[in-house]
Amino acid sequence: MTSTSFRDATSVTCTDGRTWSSEIQPGWDIAGNANGGYLMAIGARALLAVTGRTDPTTVTAHFLAPGKPGPVAIAPTVIRSGRRFSTATGTLTGERGPVLALLGTFGSLPEHPDALYVDGGPPELPPPDECIGVQATDTFPPPFMGKVDLRINPTDAGFLGSSRSGIPRMTGWFRLLHGEEISAMALLCALDAFPPTVFNTDLPIAWTPTLELTAHIRARPCPGWLRGRFTTRFVTGGYLEADGELWDASGRLVAQSRQLALVPRT
Amino acid sequence: MTSTSFRDATSVTCTDGRTWSSEIQPGWDIAGNANGGYLMAIGARALLAVTGRTDPTTVTAHFLAPGKPGPVAIAPTVIRSGRRFSTATGTLTGERGPVLALLGTFGSLPEHPDALYVDGGPPELPPPDECIGVQATDTFPPPFMGKVDLRINPTDAGFLGSSRSGIPRMTGWFRLLHGEEISAMALLCALDAFPPTVFNTDLPIAWTPTLELTAHIRARPCPGWLRGRFTTRFVTGGYLEADGELWDASGRLVAQSRQLALVPRT
């Protein structure tokens, strides 16, 4: 049976006291390859488990090969465990070889996070019902969009039609299905859930395979929709970066991301 | 004898076909602890060596303990080697234990990097001689400043006197001493060479220990000064991020960085 919740679809089980097993579920894919943030969450859950900490603080993933549905395993190593943080590494490996290399530091998110300096705020968005819901199809939009509830700001949804804004930006709302609360781990998925920023430019770029993604988790989100903003400033030398921010329903920054993606040679 | 060039001060030697040794040189420190970017360069040189590639593409370091002058070693593992990229990991370990955990992907920088989309440019700066040279002292500014030539934009140099701008930003010029060219590896050092952005705010923050730093290398710099811009937007939940950009003398973006640093509880 296919798991329906994000929590179940990223669950990990320790089989031998050392190796953690999971299953890349069908349906979380883009053109047959599992969403990167979804894969990160599987790997990060195993890393978190071996550290014995409660939350991810910063996790970096290097994407080695596409993640195909099926069994995966990871045998994480704790590199150092200190007073406040533990750092662990591991490689999520599928039947065809390594999929994802991870390095993460785990700790405990603050119960009452302060805000000493905040430059900017969440993106201004029309209500979710006035944004553009992305419906999953077998091809594009991809099946993954059926696993999350993503509503793109109309300003940034031109790529779904024929009037691209020209600006490499995506903003919108994100939540999980069936009222599932967004855990700190689910933020990893949300940070990689939005369509590529460059889809809104006139650049001839049809896909942007991620080489590396780093997530910084600042706070556990309160219940409700997340607001996301993803922007790209530099498409140069065959690469582009995409910087992400996620804000919770209380208006608090809960996570940041930066990824380096390849610009395929056309 | 203390090495004077960056290249010598970050050299690594393979001792047994598996372990790479180096020496954290005195003088590259801030209050007795080696500069993080300098440490990253030592570790990344060992990772690069085992991959057999020519250049770093993206390197993430997690800072585990202060790097004290003295011998260090690292036994990198190649996780995957593909057609264009190799990914490797390793932990730089000193006499007192692990200092730095690294995960990096290495490839080959483009000879003629294109620029398909560029939003923004290098910071506007007065000529180097009209900027504020940071002189090394035993305490503050730290000894590390004697190893590089850093000239802070007067607008952002208020923290050296008594008139902070209130804006968490540092811009300025960077070069190595004695005309040493800035290699792709030296960019790792340059990305962590500027004083903390928050020194220009009124926040009661005297130091910001780095938890994690990710560098993206876009191009090999041409000879000459680099221009750097470092900004912080969010000091929340006990953390801050600092985003860095380095531009070469031809006006090309050569590297980006993001770090997550701790805001010590005061």
Side-chain angles (χ1 to χ4, degrees):
Chain A
M1 201 187 89
T2 300
S3 306
T4 50
S5 74
F6 175 81
R7 174 181 294 268
D8 287 349
T10 56
S11 68
V12 294
T13 316
C14 190
T15 43
D16 60 1
R18 201 176 154 271
T19 309
W20 296 75
S21 298
S22 186
E23 182 109 10
I24 298 178
Q25 300 284 338
W28 293 84
D29 66 291
I30 292 99
N33 303 325
N35 168 264
Y38 165 75
L39 293 175
M40 263 182 95
I42 294 176
R45 282 185 71 168
L47 265 57
L48 178 67
V50 298
T51 64
R53 301 285 177 175
T54 54
D55 301 292
T57 303
T58 166
V59 182
T60 287
H62 287 233
F63 294 83
L64 310 173
K68 303 290 183 187
V72 283
I74 181 169
T77 306
V78 177
I79 301 171
R80 182 174 182 272
S81 199
R83 193 173 53 84
R84 285 183 63 191
F85 300 105
S86 296
T87 300
T89 188
T91 301
L92 191 70
T93 302
E95 288 174 323
R96 307 179 197 191
V99 170
L100 197 66
L102 296 123
L103 175 60
T105 291
F106 301 84
S108 161
L109 290 169
E111 283 308 312
H112 304 286
D114 55 2
L116 296 182
Y117 184 92
V118 175
D119 172 13
E124 288 190 26
L125 301 170
D129 288 348
E130 294 172 27
C131 288
I132 312 297
V134 185
Q135 303 301 323
T137 72
D138 286 345
T139 53
F140 180 83
F144 169 73
M145 291 303 172
K147 295 294 189 186
V148 297
D149 191 352
L150 188 67
R151 313 283 178 95
I152 308 282
N153 188 349
T155 310
D156 296 328
F159 75 99
L160 291 168
S162 56
S163 61
R164 295 154 190 249
S165 67
I167 301 166
R169 181 189 63 205
M170 289 284 166
T171 58
W173 302 92
F174 174 95
R175 67 178 177 186
L176 294 174
L177 299 178
H178 315 300
E180 184 179 356
E181 276 194 27
I182 298 171
S183 63
M185 279 297 170
L187 291 174
L188 298 178
C189 180
L191 285 169
D192 195 39
F194 285 68
T197 55
V198 289
F199 281 8
N200 273 323
T201 67
D202 296 319
L203 296 172
I205 300 173
W207 61 303
T208 57
T210 303
L211 207 57
E212 181 266 338
L213 194 155
T214 294
H216 295 167
I217 308 299
R218 293 283 180 108
R220 222 169 282 121
C222 68
W225 287 94
L226 295 179
R227 276 174 287 183
R229 179 191 285 118
F230 296 83
T231 53
T232 294
R233 291 180 53 218
F234 305 109
V235 186
T236 69
Y239 302 92
L240 61 84
E241 95 290 355
D243 287 354
E245 303 164 22
L246 293 174
W247 301 78
D248 75 4
S250 76
R252 173 180 287 147
L253 178 82
V254 291
Q256 279 186 297
S257 64
R258 172 171 285 171
Q259 64 168 273
L260 186 70
L262 283 171
V263 178
R265 291 157 181 167
T266 50
Chain B
M1 198 187 92
T2 301
S3 306
T4 50
S5 74
F6 175 80
R7 175 181 293 267
D8 287 348
T10 57
S11 68
V12 294
T13 315
C14 190
T15 42
D16 59 1
R18 201 176 153 270
T19 308
W20 296 74
S21 298
S22 187
E23 181 109 9
I24 298 177
Q25 300 283 338
W28 293 84
D29 64 292
I30 293 100
N33 303 325
N35 168 265
Y38 165 76
L39 292 175
M40 264 182 95
I42 294 176
R45 284 186 69 169
L47 264 57
L48 178 67
V50 298
T51 64
R53 300 284 176 175
T54 53
D55 301 293
T57 303
T58 166
V59 182
T60 288
H62 287 234
F63 294 83
L64 310 172
K68 302 290 182 187
V72 283
I74 180 170
T77 305
V78 176
I79 301 171
R80 181 175 183 272
S81 198
R83 192 173 55 83
R84 286 183 64 191
F85 299 105
S86 297
T87 300
T89 187
T91 300
L92 191 71
T93 302
E95 289 175 320
R96 308 181 198 190
V99 170
L100 197 65
L102 295 124
L103 176 60
T105 290
F106 301 83
S108 161
L109 290 170
E111 282 309 313
H112 304 286
D114 55 0
L116 297 182
Y117 184 92
V118 175
D119 173 13
E124 289 189 26
L125 302 170
D129 287 349
E130 295 171 26
C131 287
I132 312 298
V134 185
Q135 305 301 324
T137 71
D138 286 346
T139 54
F140 181 83
F144 169 73
M145 291 304 173
K147 294 293 188 187
V148 297
D149 190 353
L150 188 67
R151 313 283 179 96
I152 308 283
N153 187 349
T155 311
D156 296 328
F159 75 98
L160 291 168
S162 56
S163 60
R164 294 155 191 250
S165 66
I167 300 166
R169 182 189 62 205
M170 289 284 166
T171 59
W173 302 93
F174 174 94
R175 67 178 178 186
L176 293 175
L177 299 179
H178 315 300
E180 184 178 355
E181 276 193 28
I182 298 171
S183 63
M185 279 299 170
L187 291 173
L188 298 176
C189 179
L191 285 169
D192 195 39
F194 285 67
T197 56
V198 289
F199 281 8
N200 272 324
T201 67
D202 295 318
L203 296 172
I205 301 174
W207 61 303
T208 57
T210 303
L211 208 55
E212 181 265 339
L213 193 156
T214 293
H216 295 168
I217 308 299
R218 293 283 182 108
R220 223 170 281 120
C222 67
W225 287 94
L226 295 179
R227 277 173 288 182
R229 178 192 286 119
F230 296 83
T231 53
T232 294
R233 292 180 53 217
F234 305 109
V235 185
T236 68
Y239 302 93
L240 62 84
E241 94 291 355
D243 287 354
E245 303 163 23
L246 293 174
W247 302 77
D248 75 5
S250 75
R252 173 179 286 146
L253 178 81
V254 292
Q256 279 187 296
S257 65
R258 173 172 285 171
Q259 65 168 272
L260 185 69
L262 283 172
V263 178
R265 292 160 180 162
T266 48

